[in-house]
């Protein structure tokens, strides 16, 4: 086995490369392609056979966005993937679906508040889960066709958008709750300028394979894309570090009884999860060959334990896995959660382990998905433990 210190150094190096040297890497962006290249290089160096699975997506660029209320300005950010606009119009405030049904929004700027801005609206074409309530709001807006939409922020401290959807074609921005009264009560003309650009491009999943096809198949996955504006250390350079370190650990020795597939997914933080859909559409019919799928996302948070959850595992299989993780003090089992790439497999009844950090759920949209998600949050020892745990699971199978 490789020296632990060497592996720890590599883990730190991978996280640093992805979240500091490359930094934010939204699906389809130039940085996203640099991350793809880096991952591919490490897999190849470790003697895995690499496939790039390409798909279409949008890259999005934003420039100055301004909202003028008469002579004063309000703080706004475009919703990610918003189309550009330059409109001067009166506003119509809408607080509920009922009001939206009654409203005449043509030639106006719609200001969404109240029950319409309680949570992010699911993108129009999101395939895995969709809410009828959200779809109703979106189709009403498309029918009423305002010139543009202003939404209150979902977060008090920073501008958190309600829309994030490259398939929705009404330009929109998010404004701070502090400006709410000023905007809503204003009789002055509103002038909104959004300078942004959607560009058609491609992205790719990086899939690395090794071992004997037709043998017990282990699939380990982690997404490598980020939202815009975040270094994405915990979300999810750490998961990618597990894939890359595992490839190093399995470089020379792999049992003839196993096949290992390492999938760096591209699109978990993109509005329509195109990488996951491409993978599902191509490999869905082979899912019955998977002995165990493992997804890593958000593990390695300092002063926390590693949280794992077992789904769709038989009792015997679960006991086997428990007997292995019990020897790792840093790993703790928690009840399943139903969002993330592990659901690709679990919802197809594939035995699945989801891996994260116990404290992750409190950090979503306060630290995660923001500029605060940096390597200083991470304890590489926790990540190494996960790699050793997975190596043991794979080795155990190899001995059978
Ligand atoms: Zn993630």
């Amino acid at each position: 086995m490789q020296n632990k210190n060497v592996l720890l150094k590599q883990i730190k190096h991978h996280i640093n490369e992805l979240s500091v040297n490359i930094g934010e890497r939204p699906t389809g962006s130039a940085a996203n392609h640099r991350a793809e290249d880096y991952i591919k290089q490490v897999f190849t160096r470790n003697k895995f056979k690499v496939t790039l699975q390409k798909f279409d997506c949008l890259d999005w660029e934003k420039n100055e966005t301004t909202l003028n209320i008469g002579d004063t300005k309000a703080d706004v950010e475009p919703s990610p993937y918003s189309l550009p606009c330059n409109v001067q119009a009166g506003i119509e405030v809408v607080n509920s679906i009922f009001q939206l049904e009654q409203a005449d929004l043509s030639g106006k700027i719609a200001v969404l508040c109240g029950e319409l801005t309680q949570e992010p609206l699911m993108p129009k074409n999101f395939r895995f889960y969709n809410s009828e309530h959200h779809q109703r709001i979106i189709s009403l807006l498309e029918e009423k066709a305002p010139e543009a939409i202003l939404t209150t922020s979902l977060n008090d401290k920073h501008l958190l958008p309600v829309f994030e959807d490259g398939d929705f074609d009404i330009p929109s921005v998010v404004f701070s709750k502090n400006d709410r009264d000023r905007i809503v009560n204003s009789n002055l003309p509103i002038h909104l300028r959004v300078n942004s650009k959607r560009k058609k491009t491609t992205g790719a999943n990086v899939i690395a394979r090794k071992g004997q096809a037709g043998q017990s198949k282990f699939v380990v996955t982690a997404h490598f894309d980020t939202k815009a504006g975040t270094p994405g250390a915990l979300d999810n350079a750490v998961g990618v570090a597990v894939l890359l370190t595992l490839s190093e650990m399995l470089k020379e020795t792999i049992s003839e009884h196993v096949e290992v597939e390492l999938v760096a997914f591209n699109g978990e933080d993109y509005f329509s999860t195109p990488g996951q859909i491409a993978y599902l559409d191509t490999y869905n019919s082979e899912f019955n060959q998977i002995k165990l799928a493992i997804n890593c996302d958000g593990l390695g948070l300092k002063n926390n334990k590693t949280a794992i959850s077992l789904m769709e595992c038989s009792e015997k299989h679960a006991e086997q896995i428990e007997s292995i993780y019990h020897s790792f003090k840093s790993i703790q089992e928690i009840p399943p959660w139903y969002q993330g790439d592990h659901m690709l497999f679990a919802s197809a009844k594939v035995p699945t382990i989801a891996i994260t950090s116990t404290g992750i759920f409190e950090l979503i949209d306060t630290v995660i998905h923001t500029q605060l998600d940096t390597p200083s949050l991470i304890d590489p020892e926790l990540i190494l433990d996960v790699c050793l745990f997975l190596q043991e699971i794979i080795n155990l199978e190899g001995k059978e």
Side-chain angles (χ1 to χ4, degrees):
M1 198 186 77
Q2 286 92 341
N3 180 303
K4 276 193 183 183
N5 288 330
V6 174
L7 292 173
L8 277 173
K9 223 170 124 186
Q10 285 179 359
I11 288 170
K12 283 185 211 159
H13 181 83
H14 296 321
I15 293 169
N16 202 59
E17 186 62 31
L18 289 163
S19 60
V20 179
N21 293 346
I22 295 173
E24 65 174 292
R25 44 198 181 280
T27 302
S29 64
N32 184 263
H33 285 285
R34 284 202 293 283
E36 170 197 313
D37 284 343
Y38 177 74
I39 295 163
K40 183 182 159 190
Q41 271 177 33
V42 177
F43 283 151
T44 308
R45 191 176 75 208
N46 290 334
K47 303 175 189 170
F48 273 69
K49 189 169 172 287
V50 178
T51 306
L52 291 181
Q53 183 182 29
K54 295 199 176 158
F55 52 81
D56 294 327
C57 59
L58 292 175
D59 188 18
W60 183 72
E61 192 182 283
K62 67 166 180 184
N63 293 301
E64 206 196 0
T65 291
T66 54
L67 178 71
N68 288 71
I69 310 157
D71 293 335
T72 63
K73 278 186 189 234
D75 225 5
V76 288
E77 273 291 323
S79 307
Y81 300 97
S82 170
L83 285 173
C85 69
N86 185 358
V87 276
Q88 213 160 353
I91 60 163
E92 183 77 27
V93 180
V94 192
N95 287 295
S96 63
I97 292 207
F98 178 75
Q99 286 185 359
L100 187 54
E101 283 165 347
Q102 312 300 315
D104 175 4
L105 300 178
S106 72
K108 292 194 178 138
I109 295 175
V111 181
L112 304 192
C113 305
E115 71 170 50
L116 303 176
T117 53
Q118 295 304 304
E119 54 187 358
L121 294 174
M122 301 300 294
K124 280 171 67 176
N125 298 318
F126 189 68
R127 219 166 80 178
F128 297 114
Y129 158 81
N130 226 312
S131 145
E132 265 175 46
H133 174 69
H134 293 182
Q135 294 306 294
R136 176 87 182 124
I137 296 173
I138 287 166
S139 68
L140 278 169
L141 285 167
E142 287 181 328
E143 188 187 305
K144 308 270 172 173
E147 296 292 312
I149 300 170
L150 313 181
T151 65
T152 30
S153 174
L154 298 174
N155 189 289
D156 292 342
K157 296 200 185 84
H158 63 273
L159 293 176
L160 187 62
V162 172
F163 291 99
E164 180 163 357
D165 188 356
D167 295 316
F168 182 65
D169 290 342
I170 305 171
S172 70
V173 300
V174 51
F175 61 84
S176 152
K177 284 189 181 165
N178 298 333
D179 286 324
R180 187 181 173 277
D181 291 346
R182 197 151 67 93
I183 292 171
V184 166
N185 300 326
S186 162
N187 299 314
L188 299 165
I190 296 247
H191 188 179
L192 176 67
R193 271 197 224 97
V194 178
N195 286 306
S196 63
K197 213 193 246 170
R198 283 181 191 166
K199 290 177 284 184
K200 285 190 176 150
T201 182
T202 58
N205 293 324
V206 189
I207 305 176
R209 297 190 182 93
K210 195 179 181 113
Q212 298 289 320
Q215 296 295 325
S216 287
K217 185 172 175 182
F218 291 87
V219 179
V220 189
T221 60
H223 74 89
F224 72 92
D225 62 300
T226 65
K227 291 213 183 279
T230 173
L234 255 180
D235 188 20
N236 182 28
V238 289
V240 179
V242 171
L243 301 185
L244 299 179
T245 308
L246 261 185
S247 76
E248 175 77 29
M249 289 166 135
L250 299 169
K251 175 167 71 175
E252 304 298 346
T253 49
I254 187 163
S255 156
E256 57 188 7
H257 300 299
V258 295
E259 180 185 12
V260 173
E261 181 177 287
L262 307 173
V263 186
F265 275 131
N266 193 355
E268 208 262 343
D269 278 320
Y270 180 91
F271 64 89
S272 61
T273 63
Q276 287 75 351
I277 286 183
Y279 182 85
L280 197 63
D281 287 349
T282 307
Y283 299 111
N284 191 22
S285 61
E286 298 172 21
F287 274 18
N288 57 359
Q289 296 164 21
I290 301 173
K291 166 101 185 175
L292 184 65
I294 299 125
N295 185 58
C296 305
D297 196 350
L299 69 159
L301 178 62
K302 245 182 213 170
N303 306 318
N304 271 245
K305 286 202 167 190
T306 297
I308 68 168
S309 176
L310 275 50
M311 287 173 235
E312 304 297 334
C313 293
S314 70
E315 220 168 286
K316 184 174 164 245
H317 198 176
E319 274 170 22
Q320 253 183 5
I321 293 166
E322 277 159 24
S323 72
I324 296 173
Y325 79 67
H326 277 158
S327 61
F328 292 91
K329 286 200 193 76
S330 63
I331 299 178
Q332 175 186 326
E333 195 171 342
I334 63 165
W337 64 99
Y338 300 103
Q339 255 144 18
D341 287 340
H342 55 281
M343 293 312 293
L344 282 182
F345 300 99
S347 56
K349 304 271 178 231
V350 175
T352 301
I353 307 182
I355 307 184
T356 190
S357 301
T358 46
I360 205 81
F361 303 96
E362 291 117 67
L363 302 184
I364 292 169
D365 291 331
T366 54
V367 173
I368 286 179
H369 303 159
T370 78
Q371 60 198 15
L372 303 177
D373 182 6
T374 64
S376 62
L377 300 171
I378 289 158
D379 177 356
E381 301 257 2
L382 292 170
I383 297 170
L384 180 60
D385 269 1
V386 169
C387 297
L388 294 168
F389 164 60
L390 296 180
Q391 186 188 33
E392 262 191 63
I393 290 181
I394 294 168
N395 283 346
L396 180 74
E397 188 67 24
K399 283 183 207 133
E400 280 178 357

